[in-house]
Amino acid sequence: MQQTVLTLKGTVDNVLFYNEANGYIVAELETEDALVTVVGELGQLEAGEELELTGTFVTHPRFGQQFRADSCVRTLPSTAVNIERYLASGIIRGIGRALAKRIVAEFGEFTLQVIEHSPEKLLRIKGISPQKCEEIAAAAQEIFGLRSLMGRLQTYGVAPSVSMQAYRRWGAAAWEVIRENPFRLCEPGIALPFHQAEKIAADLQIPKNHPHRVAAGFRWILETAALEGHTCLPEPDFRALCLGGLGIAEGDYESALCHCREERLLFAYDKDGRPYIYLEEYYRAEDFIATRTAAMLAFSPPQDFDCTAAIETEETATGVQYAEMQKKAIACAFSRGIMLLTGGPGTGKTTTLNAVIHLCRSAGSTVLLAAPTGRAAKRMTELTGVEAKTIHRLLGTDFSDDGSIVFQHNEQDPLSADVVIIDEVSMVDTLLFEGLLRALRLSCRLVLVGDEDQLPSVGAGNLLHTLIESNRIPLVRLTEIFRQAQESCIIRSAHQIISGEMPDLTEKHSDFFFFDRREANEAAVFLRSLYAERLPKAYGFTPQTDIQVISPTRKGILGTVALNTLLQEAVNPAQYGKPVLKNLLYTFREGDKVMQIQNQYEMEWTRDGEQGTGIFNGDMGTVLFIDKTAKTMRVDFDGRIVTLRSEQLDQIELAYAVTVHKSQGSEFDAVLLILPEGRDRLSYRSLLYTAVTRAKKLLIMIGSPRKVREMVQDGERSVRCSRLGHMLTSMIAKPANTGTETAP
């Protein structure tokens, strides 16, 4: 039933909670009839302010009825009583309760006008010196300016958090800046969506072909393309999108493109007479990657280490006999500034990696290990016995003046390492790889490990595939499946899938089972039984820690959203008196399995007395404790304990079921892979292969043979537009030996 939208007027009586980052507030509003609790992203409010709110009444399970405000028209208090309450709140630095009382006693209902327009009159008040008067005037101008900006922008539906970012950047001149060019709100660090800036521009009667609008539209189109994985666009495609999406003429497009290139807002890269259009950050990244890679290959380490003898000694000490390609990989890691090691499951990547780590350390080299996600780093640590970090933690994250992420380690402060090894490189995007290369000394060797057949990164670019296809980077591809791995039907099936062969779904093997369930409701009920009852009973698995349900999609009965609710009720049902917290999708309970879905670089955590910051997209955890009174939730992310506030709950989801993309970089003892019927854009080979290779001990696939066949036969890779490969081939000479196995 649709709720009635209401208008509520009143005076702020008390502020119970305020989040400066996003403007979310909980306050008590004194109306003519009652004291009402108001919640919403309204920005900072203070006692005494007069509001006119639009929104709906909702019922909170613990705190009862609240007014959820969607918009707010605010005015400064107009009566002497409310003005005194407002100033006594401490809103203006330098004015406390006692001084507020004296000021209002002197100026009454004109107090705020005096402070804003004639602050020198405050010198009449006992206790206000000329210096203090200047401080009060400066603080007041900041408060009044921000209030005014919020009021103006909220009429266009702009969130208070955007207003605060704009005011931090431009100060008292913010509205003048916006009025001259509202599309400056779309700049990085503020990042108002283009369509919202369009509303302001329309009200200001800015024409569609105005250079400010067209330039911002160019960026919007390229940023939208980046969300689809493209670092650039062919100029004809870019032209068509601009003419259609922005509604401009050819002449306006040409002149704006020329201007943007002159101002270095956009870059054009020519490949065989065909231009490609870049945003500055992606052009800079790909150009730097190619340039630095060429330098790293030219500056190979001195070969004063007998690698052949060291490998023989290692074989004797460990009893491991390395295959020929493994030996090549180890030698390449010692002799070249950068190399690629790729191969599917069971081909010995981990064994090779461990040998590289041990021999590098034996040679006196400092070795650092990293992976794109927390779970991938944890798995790398478990497989090697050496601590691995996420790439973000390795580089250290900080924020620039405009609020964008920067890395602490860079050309000026490089990592103290002789060798850096990165696993799961298929998940690394272009901008992150640029940041990594900038943090390496030229003498540092870089070993990149990954499976080229897995899904590409969520961010723009297809880095691992591009580096391999360039045929310029030393590459060792492991293809031999070792005897022990051959005994696993999971591994055999994975290799069949990536080769375009249908796996055998008829035999019942010890680690791989297929169940034909084509009707969605029937499949969901069967999945629930396996997850909550049959697998724990037969194998001793604990659902929350050992079993992972994976689906290609979020939508529908067999999508992750619906499955999470189904599985939660099966293993962690509601209980009377058990505390809960909610976001738009889920109800969270103590004991729930959850996943972080946004990078939070400044989120504080503790672990065995250690303190740190940073919880990242894809990190999985368990809800330890819910405090309903404080509306907080304590979560254990693999030993890092964080406390989430209610307004941060939109950053996490239940994780009993996750998408294939979210599972990448992780391994689970048991995987239940559900494949919904129907032909869609997620029915392709590399997605099925990535899902299958998440299972360590047991894989159960639920669906139809027809669905599996469709995915196996669809071997097309997602095409991502990038010119990194061409840059690499232009800057780096083709090696003399370019065999398919290695190009040293």
Side-chain angles (χ1 to χ4, degrees), residues 165-379:
Q165 292 290 349
Y167 197 84
R168 285 170 185 163
R169 180 171 297 187
W170 300 308
W175 175 245
E176 292 304 314
V177 171
I178 294 167
R179 189 169 62 176
E180 180 182 346
N181 180 6
F183 296 100
R184 293 203 64 182
L185 291 170
C186 302
E187 293 177 358
I190 301 178
L192 182 73
F194 179 77
H195 70 273
Q196 283 195 268
E198 286 268 70
K199 296 178 183 178
I200 306 174
D203 190 54
L204 296 173
Q205 298 182 330
I206 294 175
K208 284 193 172 185
N209 65 348
H210 194 287
H212 292 332
R213 177 182 181 271
V214 179
F218 286 172
R219 182 169 190 91
W220 166 61
I221 286 168
L222 289 170
E223 286 176 337
T224 301
L227 293 175
E228 298 172 355
H230 308 295
T231 59
C232 59
L233 286 175
E235 193 279 332
D237 295 355
F238 178 67
R239 177 190 298 260
L241 289 169
C242 291
L243 297 182
L246 301 178
I248 56 176
E250 286 268 3
D252 298 321
Y253 166 81
E254 292 287 357
S255 60
L257 181 62
C258 181
H259 172 75
C260 287
R261 291 184 61 184
E262 288 176 353
E263 295 296 317
R264 301 179 70 82
L265 301 174
L266 299 182
F267 286 76
Y269 179 82
D270 186 85
K271 178 183 182 293
D272 303 327
R274 189 184 186 194
Y276 291 78
I277 306 301
Y278 277 88
L279 286 172
E280 187 271 337
E281 56 262 39
Y282 287 106
Y283 178 82
R284 176 203 64 208
E286 292 197 344
D287 180 68
F288 181 83
I289 289 169
T291 303
R292 178 50 65 96
T293 300
M296 293 172 75
L297 288 172
F299 190 83
S300 292
Q303 299 189 31
D304 56 357
F305 182 71
D306 189 343
C307 195
T308 301
I311 291 174
E312 292 176 355
T313 302
E314 184 77 3
E315 288 180 323
T316 301
T318 62
V320 176
Q321 295 298 308
Y322 298 109
E324 190 61 30
M325 293 308 300
Q326 289 179 307
K327 292 179 181 179
K328 284 187 177 182
I330 297 167
C332 191
F334 274 88
S335 62
R336 304 311 303 268
I338 180 172
M339 73 156 293
L340 298 164
L341 174 62
T342 185
T347 57
K349 290 198 304 293
T350 299
T351 301
T352 306
L353 198 57
N354 281 329
V356 170
I357 294 169
H358 187 249
L359 290 176
C360 284
R361 287 181 151 188
S362 298
S365 298
T366 301
V367 183
L368 296 179
L369 275 59
T373 68
R375 290 190 67 85
K378 181 183 178 184
R379 176 170 165 262

Side-chain angles (χ1 to χ4, degrees), residues 11 44 157 208 221 253 260 264-265 268 273 285 339 343 367 471 506 527 542 568 590 618 672 723 732 739:
T11 302
Q44 189 173 6
K208 284 193 172 185
I221 286 168
Y253 166 81
C260 287
R264 301 179 70 82
L265 301 174
M339 73 156 293
V367 183
N471 203 23
T506 60
L527 175 70
T542 301
Q568 181 195 42
E590 293 173 357
L672 294 174
R723 296 278 62 87
I732 305 171

Side-chain angles (χ1 to χ4, degrees), residues 399-420:
F399 294 87
S400 64
D401 293 339
D402 66 5
S404 59
I405 298 296
V406 294
F407 294 118
Q408 295 168 357
H409 290 290
N410 49 38
E411 295 102 319
Q412 287 72 44
D413 183 18
L415 292 165
S416 298
D418 302 305
V419 182
V420 171

Side-chain angles (χ1 to χ4, degrees), residues 370-371 380 391 394 420-425 428 436 446-449:
M380 195 180 188
I391 299 175
L394 181 73
V420 171
I421 301 174
I422 306 295
D423 198 10
E424 298 287 356
V425 178
V428 177
L436 174 67
L446 179 62
V447 179
L448 302 172
V449 185

Side-chain angles (χ1 to χ4, degrees), residues 409-467:
H409 290 290
N410 49 38
E411 295 102 319
Q412 287 72 44
D413 183 18
L415 292 165
S416 298
D418 302 305
V419 182
V420 171
I421 301 174
I422 306 295
D423 198 10
E424 298 287 356
V425 178
S426 62
M427 300 176 68
V428 177
D429 63 51
T430 300
L431 296 182
L432 182 57
F433 192 60
E434 177 206 9
L436 174 67
L437 291 184
R438 288 187 184 277
L440 302 183
R441 295 177 299 186
L442 194 57
S443 60
C444 179
R445 302 197 300 277
L446 179 62
V447 179
L448 302 172
V449 185
D451 186 341
E452 62 186 298
D453 294 314
Q454 287 190 28
L455 296 170
S457 60
V458 174
N462 194 350
L463 183 74
L464 179 59
H465 181 71
T466 301
L467 294 177

Side-chain angles (χ1 to χ4, degrees), residues 76-78 83 108-119 144:
L76 292 172
S78 56
I83 291 172
E109 62 186 27
F110 300 104
T111 296
L112 296 181
Q113 290 94 315
V114 168
I115 293 175
E116 183 175 7
H117 302 294
S118 307
F144 296 148

Side-chain angles (χ1 to χ4, degrees), residues 328 336 471-475 734-744:
K328 284 187 177 182
R336 304 311 303 268
N471 203 23
R472 294 297 191 269
I473 316 298
L475 165 69
K734 190 173 183 178
N737 177 5
T738 57
T740 57
E741 295 176 338
T742 181

